[in-house]
Each structure stands twice: as structure tokens, then as C-alpha cells.
Amino acid sequence: MGKKGFNTTNLHSDRRDNPEHGVLHKPVHPSVAYGYEDARHLAEVFQGKRAGYNYGRQLNPTVTALQNRITQMEQGIASVAFATGMAAISSALLALLKEGDHIISSAFLFGNTNSFFGTLKRLGIEVTFVDATKACFVESAIQENTKLVFVETIANPVTQVADLKAIGELCKLKSLIYCVDNTMTSPHLFLPKKVQASLIVNSLTKYIGGHGNALGGIITDTGLYDWSEFGNIYDAYRTEKSELQGITQIKKKGLRDMGASLGPEAAHHLATGSETLSLRIEKACENAQVLAEFCDNHPKIKKAYFPGLSNHPQHERAKQLFKGFGTIFSVDLKEEVNCFDFLNKMDCIVSSSNLGDNRTLAIPVAHTIYYEMGVERRASMGISDSMVRFSVGIEEVADLLTDFEQALA
Ligand SMILES: *Cc1c(COP(=O)(O)O)cnc(C)c1O
């Protein structure tokens, strides 16, 4: 089809793969197993010498079609889908790392990723958390055994924007795997490949699915990292071309052995959702800008955090890197406003933990998603007890403004 736009490519993606009966959507294939007329072909599929399917935990045609869509969106070379975003992160890192390795992570991190990195520490993998808004902090944390740097694009809930470009240059220079969680921006707002990411994480549950009706996660390899330089590749996968060794190991050791596979029904929901990604996220970004500006100027709000505000410390960086400032913003309420009472007064804004939904959702973060982390770590992340995070949806902005006005009145 040649080089076409983001939407055109995605909308016509399933058609290019010789779909059954000329269908425009890749069908949902529930079959777990695949039968072969010639037993030799089955053996060849197992040995990777013939394209084909062997067992549903490892491969499914509906899931493959979704993987192809995301690979195209991210301009990568291959993707592996998982049951959730957390399954993608944990399976990939457990597949690639071993005891005695060291990773550097942004300190401003999705709560469950932070929790998983605690699990890595128990397994003997060292983790150093740094302020990733400046590449120099990443650089000074590098050790002899450092293997990987993990960052998010826009961090949750204080919306720090990592020094994505400079960290990419640093990782390139030091031959480190650069893993960028693109969930908050999605491939519509940002392509991590442009800052030399090696691996990209997307929680499909969020913007790509968008409708809050299916869980999923995916790892995409950009093809930029030379896996022949990486000591942890098993001999069995060294036979692959060097750029495919990492994703092959993630597929075999991460997906096959750990088994957090994406189901075909969820893949179908997520693929359908992905078709309107750019329309939804552009509208939600517009709404978020209006609401964040409203909150920034409101006398009952102490502070608003949103990369689209000119007072945001990384506003200029976000402007340069992203096609939009995202749809997440947070506020610190003044003492006289109780965060629970405030949320209970909302009419169309729902108290809920998800984000990237079509609906506008709000959550008091210290009491919920960052509760387990404890007071100290929360303070180090700049999370106050009065902080409320909003994930802005695609409702009419006037209705959302009315909600804020009356809840703060
Ligand atoms: C939600 C989220 C995840 C995890 O995704 P799930 O699909 O909920 O497991 C990972 N990273 C970020 C930035 C997220 O927002």
C-alpha cells in the first residue's frame, strides 16, 4: 500500500493479510489448536521453518492481526501482545534480565510498574530510580552491570515529561536497551522510535482500545537495538537475525513460558477501538487543555499539573516531542476542599481508576492507586493527599466545565 497516513494504514491493515472471504475486520478465531494434513509441516512450524500456528498460548490469527496494526503504528519491526499492559512489562523484562543485572528506571512511574520493579529487586535484579526529566541523572546511575533504562513518556499523576531524546542518545552511546512506555501518549501523539527507543510498551487497555471494555498490552521492537551486543540472549535465539533476537526471546521466554496471552475476543475489541484512536485522543487533548487551564486559574485549586500549561516545567519539551499534551491532568486542592466531597459532587465525571477511556474519569491518587506505595515514596513523587487525577474523555467540554464549576462552588 506504500506510505500512507496513520489512520489509512490502520483502517486497511487487516485487508492486506489475505483475510477470509474478503472480510474487512480480521475475524475472531477462538480455536486453541491447529490441525495439519502433513505432520512434517507441524514439525516445521515448531522449528520456526514454516509460518503457521501451533497453539493458542503462543499465537492466534486475531492477535497477530492486532500485533501487525501496532507494529505499523509504532513504525517498528515486530510486536508481541499480552493479556494486559502489566503482563507485557513483566514478561518482557523477566525474559530479558537475569540475577545480577541492573536497570535504571524513572522514579515517576505507573504504580504497578513500580511495584513490579520491587519484585525484580527480590529476584536479585538491581533497580535504581532516578529523576528522568534530566538525562544527567540517568547517566550518573549507570553501572557496569546496567542493561536497560525504563521511562514513561508523560508520568502519572504529576505529568513529568522524561528527557526522552537525550536518554535515547545516552542509551545508544552505552549500548543499553531503551524501553519507553508510550501508554500515556499512544503512537498517535508520539513515536518513541524517533528518540531511538529499543522497545516500546503500550497498555492497549488505555487509549488504543479506548472504550474501557478490554484489557491488553503489547511490546514493540523498533529494530534500532543491536541484540547481538546483549549478553542475555539464549543460544537458541542467536540463530535469528540480530534485530529479531530480543523480540523472539520475549515471545518464547516471556509469552510462551509465562503464558499471559491476549485472548482473541479482547484482541478484536482492541483492534476495533484502535481505528478511532487519533480522533478520540485529539478531542480528549483539546478538552484536557480547556479543563487544565480552568483549574490552573481557580481559587480553590492550589496547583494544576498538565504539560499543556505554559508554567509546566517541561512544557517546551512536550511541545517539541508530542503532537498533543495528553489527556491526563492532576490538581492539588486547597485545604478547604475535601477531595472525596469534591468528587462526589461531580455529575458526569466518574470516580474510577482507569484512564484513556472515552469517559472522563477522576481518582484521588494518594488514597487509591498510590496507597500501597506509602507516605515517603508518595512524597518523593510529589503526590499529595489532596491530589486528584483526571483522565479526560470526549464528552462536550461545556458539560465537563459545568461539572467542575458546580463541584468547586
Ligand atoms: C495502565 C498502565 C499500564 C498497565 O496496563 P494494564 O493494561 O492496566 O495492565 C502500564 N503503564 C502505564 C503508563 C499505564 O498507564
Side-chain angles (χ1 to χ4, degrees):
M1 229 165 79
K3 256 219 161 325
K4 296 270 202 308
F6 184 89
N7 289 315
T8 313
T9 307
N10 186 41
L11 286 163
H12 295 276
S13 163
D14 289 353
R15 261 191 330 125
R16 291 192 294 162
D17 205 18
N18 291 320
E20 304 82 329
H21 317 295
V23 292
L24 300 184
H25 281 276
K26 183 72 183 172
V28 179
H29 289 282
S31 189
V32 169
Y34 302 84
Y36 286 82
E37 296 285 326
D38 183 341
R40 282 190 187 83
H41 290 173
L42 177 60
E44 284 164 16
V45 168
F46 265 85
Q47 293 164 19
K49 292 172 186 159
R50 170 183 285 270
Y53 294 87
N54 50 6
Y55 185 63
R57 175 160 25 80
Q58 288 145 64
L59 219 51
N60 170 286
T62 314
V63 175
T64 303
L66 175 64
Q67 288 175 167
N68 291 342
R69 282 183 186 240
I70 308 299
T71 300
Q72 284 166 1
M73 283 186 182
E74 290 286 10
Q75 298 180 15
I77 56 165
S79 300
V80 184
F82 293 86
T84 65
M86 282 317 302
I89 294 170
S90 58
S91 304
L93 295 197
L94 289 171
L96 294 175
L97 299 171
K98 62 177 169 50
E99 189 182 8
D101 287 343
H102 172 243
I103 69 169
I104 300 167
S105 169
S106 169
F108 312 124
L109 208 55
F110 179 65
N112 301 154
T113 307
N114 178 72
S115 169
F116 170 65
F117 286 174
T119 306
L120 287 185
K121 285 185 185 178
R122 295 218 330 185
L123 295 173
I125 294 161
E126 286 182 81
V127 185
T128 306
F129 291 105
V130 299
D131 174 354
T133 62
K134 292 202 173 68
C136 61
F137 294 125
V138 176
E139 185 164 20
S140 48
I142 294 175
Q143 307 175 175
E144 209 176 316
N145 56 345
T146 306
K147 296 281 162 56
L148 178 146
V149 175
F150 189 99
V151 299
E152 294 176 3
T153 52
I154 302 177
N156 197 351
V158 186
T159 72
Q160 297 96 336
V161 179
D163 197 354
L164 292 158
K165 192 158 177 282
I167 297 173
E169 282 157 12
L170 179 66
C171 288
K172 174 88 187 146
L173 192 70
K174 305 278 182 183
S175 299
L176 300 174
I177 299 166
Y178 185 25
C179 188
V180 177
D181 185 336
N182 199 26
T183 300
M184 292 297 234
T185 24
S186 89
H188 177 67
L189 296 183
F190 179 57
L191 290 176
K193 188 175 182 178
K194 298 215 161 131
V195 296
Q196 307 187 72
S198 325
L199 297 174
I200 304 167
V201 178
N202 278 289
S203 167
L204 301 168
T205 317
K206 310 293 173 52
Y207 299 100
I208 291 175
H211 296 71
N213 58 359
L215 291 155
I218 198 158
I219 302 286
T220 302
D221 192 314
T222 60
L224 296 179
Y225 185 76
D226 181 4
W227 294 94
S228 67
E229 292 185 41
F230 185 59
N232 291 357
I233 299 291
Y234 290 76
D235 287 344
Y237 315 132
R238 286 282 184 215
T239 53
E240 296 281 346
K241 281 191 279 184
S242 66
E243 73 259 32
L244 289 173
Q245 291 174 6
I247 202 79
T248 302
Q249 186 154 314
I250 290 169
K251 188 151 73 183
K252 301 284 187 179
K253 288 291 160 187
L255 182 66
R256 186 197 61 194
D257 292 9
M258 289 177 240
S261 316
L262 180 65
E265 290 83 4
H268 169 69
H269 278 306
L270 296 165
T272 305
S274 79
E275 297 191 349
T276 52
L277 168 64
S278 78
L279 303 177
R280 288 182 284 105
I281 205 162
E282 279 178 19
K283 170 73 174 163
C285 284
E286 264 174 49
N287 286 354
Q289 185 74 36
V290 173
L291 296 174
E293 283 173 13
F294 173 84
C295 289
D296 194 38
N297 293 313
H298 198 283
K300 290 197 179 158
I301 288 175
K302 209 186 292 173
K303 195 167 164 53
Y305 304 86
F306 181 62
L309 296 173
S310 56
N311 61 14
H312 186 283
Q314 292 95 36
H315 175 66
E316 284 306 318
R317 176 182 294 162
K319 204 151 85 178
Q320 278 171 16
L321 289 173
F322 309 144
K323 214 185 275 179
F325 295 109
T327 78
I328 297 288
F329 77 96
S330 295
V331 298
D332 282 328
L333 298 165
K334 287 225 174 120
E335 283 73 23
E336 68 258 35
V337 192
N338 175 285
C339 64
F340 296 104
D341 295 339
F342 166 65
L343 288 173
N344 289 347
K345 283 191 200 135
M346 294 284 190
D347 176 31
C348 51
I349 298 177
V350 192
S351 293
S352 171
S353 66
N354 191 21
L355 59 86
D357 199 294
N358 283 330
R359 301 150 191 83
T360 300
L361 309 176
I363 189 160
V365 287
H367 309 274
T368 55
I369 48 178
Y370 289 95
Y371 181 72
E372 188 182 306
M373 190 176 267
V375 181
E376 239 169 75
R377 185 74 208 285
R378 277 203 298 275
S380 77
M381 289 179 76
I383 300 172
S384 73
D385 286 352
S386 71
M387 179 175 279
V388 177
R389 183 197 74 195
F390 296 91
S391 168
V392 180
I394 61 171
E395 298 95 336
E396 280 75 15
V397 74
D399 295 328
L400 299 172
L401 274 173
T402 303
D403 239 9
F404 272 89
E405 278 163 4
Q406 54 94 7
L408 287 166

